[in-house]
Amino acid sequence: MPAVFQNPPPTAARRTPRAPHHNPLTTVRPTTRLSVRRRVAASFGDTSSFLTGDLAVPYDTGGMPSSPPRPVTTRRPGWSDLPVGMRAALADRLGAPVVATRTATAGFTRGFAGVLTAADGSRAFVKAAPHDSRLASWYGWEAAILDRLPSGLPAPRTRWTLADSSWFAIALDVVDGYPPRRPWEPSELASTLTAYAGVAAALDTPPNDLAALNPPHLADLAQADILRWGDVAAGREPAPPFPAGLEQRLPELVGLESRLPGYVASASSLIHGDLRPDNVLFGPDGQVWFCDWTWLCRGPAWFDLVTLLLGGHAAGDPEVTVGPLATTGGTRLPAGPTRVSGPEAAVAPAPAVTTDWLDAAFAAHPAAANAPPDALDVTLAALAGYFLTTPTLVPDTATEQFTAHQRRSGEYAFAWLACRQGWS
């Protein structure tokens, strides 16, 4: 979903912004929903960012030899690419000249994102983009959300916002840590799921000031942009490549995804909305952090749970069979090998997990306690269609890796669903 909050606040003072999600059907009236999305992409930017957000997570892995390596997926502006006036304003706001920068090299958007270190040793994680850009809108909205998240929720907080030289920036707390391995390593996933149970509980009845931002509802987002198989069946959307022999499953896919809006409609809680392993960090003390809150929306926590599990499954390594169920950190999860510590962990292959393992992890989680029996299948069907069709809509804000990322995510969602359904 693109941002419509086009003018973030120019100073640290807050005003109530509008959510960066919007329903393109209320804005333009072309003859098909496909043309809606293309026109919105041309006008506002990335209509696919709802589930593939800006991986501008505030981590700094310097001095942590066991940090898993992360692929370079974006070419962001460097510190020297920012306007001179903006660099000076950031240094003034930090209180000392900037002496070191660590630019984020992962993600699927092109804004500046990195850790700035000042001469006095102070640090901040800064995101910046031209003031009139879609990215600046998203950054401003994220800053408003982070200001209002419940106290104690493990998310980096906004320090300040700044506008100068026609650019807009937000500064967040720096999280010293590293992202999880992909595919999911069992003990890391167990820690993440336990931490997310706390997040889901905290957002089940959100604070009034956070709710007052009036984030969109997942049911509306699903109807407006996530559900795609119905459009494919009606000829309004080009059919994506199907795995061999599964073309005949289109009616079943349409039926499954069509249940999603009804399943989520009654939810009053708030969810992250873009919960992927890319937006999770592990601190050196074992703390799990959740980052990139731009796509906050109303919906059931089990939707976040599916995207979290799917994101870590989407890797090219072969699956291996892991052991029986075990209890870990308060969440009953499949057992697996523990994470290897030390420098060799950066190159050691991580054990993959099977779809049975992921099924069990979903079923065991508190967020899924009240989910409909087929909620996982319904969500996987919707995500598969969403990811497999959106690579045709690549906005100018996205990197060259965006298309491949979308396609792989769709393929893994489809494969997981096919395994659950017994399709062959």
Side-chain angles (χ1 to χ4, degrees), residues 112-277:
F112 173 83
V115 176
L116 305 185
T117 302
D120 61 0
S122 61
R123 297 184 303 158
F125 182 81
V126 173
K127 300 182 184 182
H131 192 282
D132 59 355
S133 69
R134 295 172 293 277
L135 292 177
S137 302
W138 300 344
Y139 296 163
W141 175 246
E142 182 183 16
I145 291 170
L146 293 175
D147 274 352
R148 294 163 171 83
L149 288 177
S151 176
L153 192 145
R157 302 302 168 130
T158 306
R159 293 187 180 179
W160 37 264
T161 66
L162 177 68
D164 196 282
S165 303
S166 299
W167 276 58
F168 176 74
I170 66 172
L172 310 179
D173 294 334
V174 176
V175 176
D176 290 307
Y178 57 89
R181 295 171 177 269
R182 296 180 67 187
W184 276 113
E185 190 279 321
S187 66
E188 289 184 345
L189 178 54
S191 297
T192 303
L193 292 179
T194 298
Y196 180 66
V199 171
L203 295 179
D204 186 57
T205 304
N208 290 335
D209 57 346
L210 182 61
L213 291 177
N214 195 28
H217 201 289
L218 180 59
D220 298 325
L221 300 175
Q223 291 281 17
D225 204 47
I226 297 176
L227 306 187
R228 304 296 177 95
W229 292 121
D231 285 347
V232 172
R236 295 188 297 266
E237 188 92 55
F242 283 92
L246 294 182
E247 298 87 349
Q248 74 276 15
R249 300 298 181 181
L250 182 56
E252 293 164 86
L253 292 166
V254 174
L256 283 169
E257 74 163 12
S258 68
R259 300 172 201 165
L260 182 61
Y263 281 1
V264 305
S266 63
S268 60
S269 56
L270 292 177
I271 61 174
H272 183 281
D274 189 25
L275 193 61
R276 299 172 290 118

